Amino acid sequence: MYPSRQELLEEEWFIVRHSGELPEVAFHSALHHLTEDPQGPRLHLEAGEIHTLLEAAIARYHEILLRDLCYEQRELPVYRGIKRALFNWQRLTAFCRRQERDCNDLRDAVAEAFLLLLQKTGQSAGEVKLTPACCSVSSGSKDARPSLAFVFNCTIEEVLLFAHELGISEEQIPGDVRQICPR
């Protein structure tokens, strides 16, 4: 017995929504599998069905961005820092442009998360090591917290570019961020 259309779409939605680091690739793979793959069901998708898969990819991008802009997440192995968040923001906006979908609703949430990250790192700059290594761990050390350099794994120019793309003015960037970013 073959899965129903609804089951096929739900399975592909799940794959796209939980796709890892490249939601756009998962989105296009799902479309290909459902419509063109000789081994696939070769469905003719309705606009609403495509839209549901598109929104799953966008939701995954949003989740990835918020993860990498969350100060508390810096201790997790999946954390990638501001540089990856900038790349993923640019990937998301390019994807939305190609899909003719506005992403301004996401811009506000990402900008808010970025500002919060900047504020928290500015507050803790004096208490967290600013070492250039990815972690502030030395052999035998019990302090396994990633350093701020791991969060700010980009130049100040990249921080300002990201802020600009999110509609954040340079005046909103705490001054001590310049000391944290690598030169």
Side-chain angles (χ1 to χ4, degrees):
M1 185 159 113
Y2 294 104
S4 70
R5 179 185 189 94
Q6 186 62 33
E7 290 170 326
L8 289 167
L9 290 166
E10 285 175 5
E11 183 176 318
E12 292 302 316
W13 177 91
F14 186 84
I15 291 169
V16 172
R17 180 60 185 86
H18 302 282
S19 60
E21 297 295 313
L22 297 171
E24 181 176 3
V25 172
F27 169 76
H28 289 294
S29 294
L31 290 181
H32 175 75
H33 171 72
L34 290 169
T35 62
E36 299 174 25
D37 186 350
Q39 307 287 314
R42 301 186 68 106
L43 301 174
H44 176 70
L45 297 180
E46 297 174 16
E49 293 168 331
I50 295 169
H51 180 76
T52 298
L53 292 171
L54 172 67
E55 290 303 314
I58 291 170
R60 180 61 187 148
Y61 268 120
H62 187 226
E63 185 176 66
I64 293 167
L65 283 159
L66 294 183
R67 175 200 68 203
D68 289 335
L69 293 175
C70 179
Y71 183 74
E72 291 75 19
Q73 300 268 352
R74 74 193 186 286
E75 298 180 24
L76 299 178
V78 296
Y79 184 80
R80 300 290 182 264
I82 292 175
K83 188 171 194 112
R84 179 62 70 101
L86 172 59
F87 286 154
N88 280 323
W89 174 255
Q90 292 170 337
R91 286 177 179 157
L92 169 63
T93 56
F95 175 60
C96 286
R97 242 185 338 271
R98 285 190 296 276
Q99 299 301 317
E100 299 178 354
R101 195 235 190 237
D102 182 87
C103 63
N104 285 330
D105 56 331
L106 298 172
R107 184 180 318 275
D108 293 340
V110 173
E112 183 179 329
F114 188 48
L115 282 171
L116 186 59
L117 173 71
L118 294 174
Q119 290 167 358
K120 286 185 177 185
T121 53
Q123 292 168 356
S124 59
E127 59 193 60
V128 180
K129 295 180 182 178
L130 299 176
T131 59
C134 75
C135 295
S136 59
V137 180
S138 59
S139 58
S141 170
K142 292 183 181 181
D143 182 12
R145 292 180 306 159
S147 72
L148 286 182
F150 186 56
V151 174
F152 286 87
N153 55 354
C154 56
T155 65
I156 187 63
E157 291 77 21
E158 289 169 316
V159 169
L160 295 174
L161 171 65
F162 196 15
H164 176 74
E165 289 187 14
L166 295 173
I168 298 169
S169 69
E170 192 169 340
E171 293 76 36
Q172 292 176 277
I173 309 289
D176 48 2
V177 167
R178 293 179 188 282
Q179 299 167 6
I180 299 169
C181 292
R183 301 198 188 278

